[in-house]
Amino acid sequence: MSRGKLAAVSSVLDQAASSATNILVLVLAARLSSAAGFAAFSMVYVTFTVLLGLSMAYVGQSLVLEKAGERLGAACRSAVGFTAAASGAVGAVLAVLGLLLGGAGGTAFLALGLVLPLVLVQDGLRYCFSALRAPERALAADALRLVCVVAALAVQPSGASAGRLVLVWGLSALPALGLGLWLLRPYVRGARADLRPYLRRGHLGQRFVVEFAVGNGSSQLAVLGLGVFATPLAVGALRGATTLFGPLNVLFNSANSFAPPVLSRLGGGRRAVVRATASLGLLLAAVGAGWATVLALLPDRLGRELLGDTWASAAALLPATGAQYAVMGLGTAGLLTLRVLAPKATLSVQVVFSLLSVALLLGGYAVWGPLGAAWGLAAGSALKATAAWHRAATLPTPTPPKVPAA
């Protein structure tokens, strides 16, 4: 197998391992917890998801744009150092917040604060290996992470508290963190870390943070807000339903990672790109609808094996969540079209329709409870997909270059 094919396969498998880790963590936590316990765990895990996305945007996405050369080792060492320092500071704030809150939720946030540097640095190593064109090393560390976290959570007693589960989940990252740092060492030996670029105004990661905040973080924060101002049980139900669609997240993320270079090399110009992305969108939508049908037909016994006491509330949301993922397939393809043909056009679509999705989520919850929130997310995804394709259809036709007169 050529080096390029090995790197592509390793990247896909690494994405699958990382996504499988997140899915299995939630499934195991749901099986071990009561509905109220899983709701508390979900609140903390949503918080971690937001912080992970911010770290990925601010540090990871800017790192992978570094050009190969002598500076790459120093850039990777700087990224690891900044992630460790920033996550330590945020973890301290979360620990204090947990002490102030008290109760089961406060203990879980305290545990997250203690383990946050471990999990964020371990995940951040993936971007170092991506920048170094060594995704097989990221795969080795993330595969070990998957094995360790599943083994650690599988031996926990039924009814374990949310704080205990968070602490076990975080500490289980230590072996993968150690392996990742050891695999990174040959590339950064002798390089000096410099954290100052991350603190300067105009750092590239600041733009990526804005895109994440309006594109993904806003909906996560809205779900977290339901737990703070409404009921944590709503968070547990929504998180449980979306956990069952985890395999589709792997598929969508892979399409976002590997489709743009392939589409950019297509012959036939704009028409060929639109034809390819339209076919991809229909395929992703069909897969989403098919997976939703499989989950809807799942016997209650198997559902409880997956999500424990949370299954009853999550199962009621499956039709809405299934519709959301089906239209997300169309939206993913629409945004891919814009990314290839007009990269600057995606930010406005993300900003407007992500905020609209948040409004529909909160409005739906106010009227119909968790089911209304789930249908609000589905409606927001449908509107974003429609806007992306409408924007792609109305892009101005490029003017052909003038041929000088003979």
Side-chain angles (χ1 to χ4, degrees), residues 24 28 32 144-156 168 172:
L24 291 175
L28 289 170
L32 292 168
L144 179 61
R145 168 68 168 142
L146 173 60
V147 171
C148 290
V149 73
V150 170
L153 289 176
V155 299
Q156 299 307 306
V168 169
S172 67

Side-chain angles (χ1 to χ4, degrees), residues 69-132:
E70 295 180 359
R71 290 188 63 255
L72 199 50
C76 289
R77 184 182 283 273
S78 301
V80 172
F82 179 80
T83 302
S87 59
V90 175
V93 173
L94 288 174
V96 172
L97 177 63
L99 291 173
L100 294 176
L101 288 175
T107 303
F109 274 105
L110 172 61
L112 177 62
L114 296 176
V115 301
L116 188 66
L118 301 179
V119 291
L120 285 188
V121 173
Q122 190 276 320
D123 191 88
L125 292 175
R126 297 167 56 212
Y127 298 94
C128 293
F129 292 125
S130 178
L132 293 165

Side-chain angles (χ1 to χ4, degrees), residues 3-27:
R3 175 66 184 173
K5 290 182 178 179
L6 176 62
V9 171
S10 298
S11 296
V12 173
L13 291 177
D14 181 52
Q15 178 63 52
S18 178
S19 298
T21 300
N22 292 329
I23 295 167
L24 291 175
V25 164
L26 289 167
V27 168

Side-chain angles (χ1 to χ4, degrees), residues 6-318:
L6 176 62
V9 171
S10 298
S11 296
V12 173
L13 291 177
D14 181 52
Q15 178 63 52
S18 178
S19 298
T21 300
N22 292 329
I23 295 167
L24 291 175
V25 164
L26 289 167
V27 168
L28 289 170
R31 292 182 62 181
L32 292 168
S33 309
S34 64
F38 183 66
F41 182 87
S42 296
M43 290 275 291
V44 172
Y45 208 76
V46 169
T47 303
F48 162 71
T49 302
V50 173
L51 294 174
L52 177 63
L54 291 173
S55 176
M56 173 196 69
Y58 196 82
V59 181
Q61 289 191 19
S62 58
L63 177 62
V64 297
L65 295 178
E66 288 280 349
K67 295 181 180 180
E70 295 180 359
R71 290 188 63 255
L72 199 50
C76 289
R77 184 182 283 273
S78 301
V80 172
F82 179 80
T83 302
S87 59
V90 175
V93 173
L94 288 174
V96 172
L97 177 63
L99 291 173
L100 294 176
L101 288 175
T107 303
F109 274 105
L110 172 61
L112 177 62
L114 296 176
V115 301
L116 188 66
L118 301 179
V119 291
L120 285 188
V121 173
Q122 190 276 320
D123 191 88
L125 292 175
R126 297 167 56 212
Y127 298 94
C128 293
F129 292 125
S130 178
L132 293 165
R133 312 296 191 269
E136 67 279 359
R137 299 192 174 216
L139 174 60
D142 286 337
L144 179 61
R145 168 68 168 142
L146 173 60
V147 171
C148 290
V149 73
V150 170
L153 289 176
V155 299
Q156 299 307 306
S158 179
S161 67
R164 174 172 177 163
L165 293 178
V166 171
L167 193 62
V168 169
W169 158 76
L171 292 177
S172 67
L174 276 171
L177 175 60
L179 176 61
L181 292 174
W182 181 73
L183 292 173
L184 182 65
R185 186 180 176 185
Y187 296 96
V188 301
R189 186 183 291 115
R192 295 185 62 183
D194 183 7
L195 309 189
R196 290 173 296 177
Y198 289 100
L199 304 176
R200 291 174 186 154
R201 184 176 180 181
H203 173 61
L204 188 59
Q206 294 168 8
R207 175 182 175 85
F208 295 142
V209 163
V210 172
E211 291 197 15
F212 168 78
V214 299
N216 299 310
S218 56
S219 59
Q220 298 283 1
L221 289 173
V223 172
L224 188 61
L226 290 181
V228 175
F229 299 109
T231 168
L233 293 176
V235 180
L238 287 168
R239 198 66 181 177
T242 54
T243 297
L244 297 174
F245 287 86
L248 296 186
N249 289 329
V250 178
L251 187 61
F252 294 165
N253 289 336
S254 297
N256 280 320
S257 299
F258 296 102
V262 175
L263 293 171
S264 299
R265 292 193 294 265
L266 282 179
R270 173 179 300 186
R271 182 173 297 180
V273 171
V274 172
R275 189 185 304 119
T277 52
S279 300
L280 176 63
L282 291 174
L283 176 62
L284 293 177
V287 172
W291 186 248
T293 302
V294 170
L295 292 176
L297 298 176
L298 199 67
D300 284 345
R301 179 179 59 82
L302 292 179
R304 290 192 180 90
E305 285 292 320
L306 289 172
L307 295 181
D309 292 342
T310 305
W311 166 254
S313 56
L317 308 185
L318 288 179

Side-chain angles (χ1 to χ4, degrees), residues 324-386:
Q324 178 193 357
Y325 273 83
V327 295
M328 277 173 65
L330 293 172
T332 297
L335 290 170
L336 277 174
T337 308
L338 291 177
R339 192 170 302 164
V340 173
L341 298 179
K344 293 183 179 180
T346 58
L347 182 58
S348 59
V349 174
Q350 290 276 32
V351 170
V352 173
F353 289 92
S354 294
L355 295 178
L356 180 59
S357 293
V358 170
L360 291 171
L361 180 151
L362 297 176
Y365 180 83
V367 178
W368 294 296
L371 183 59
W375 278 114
L377 285 173
S381 296
L383 291 172
K384 183 186 288 189
T386 302

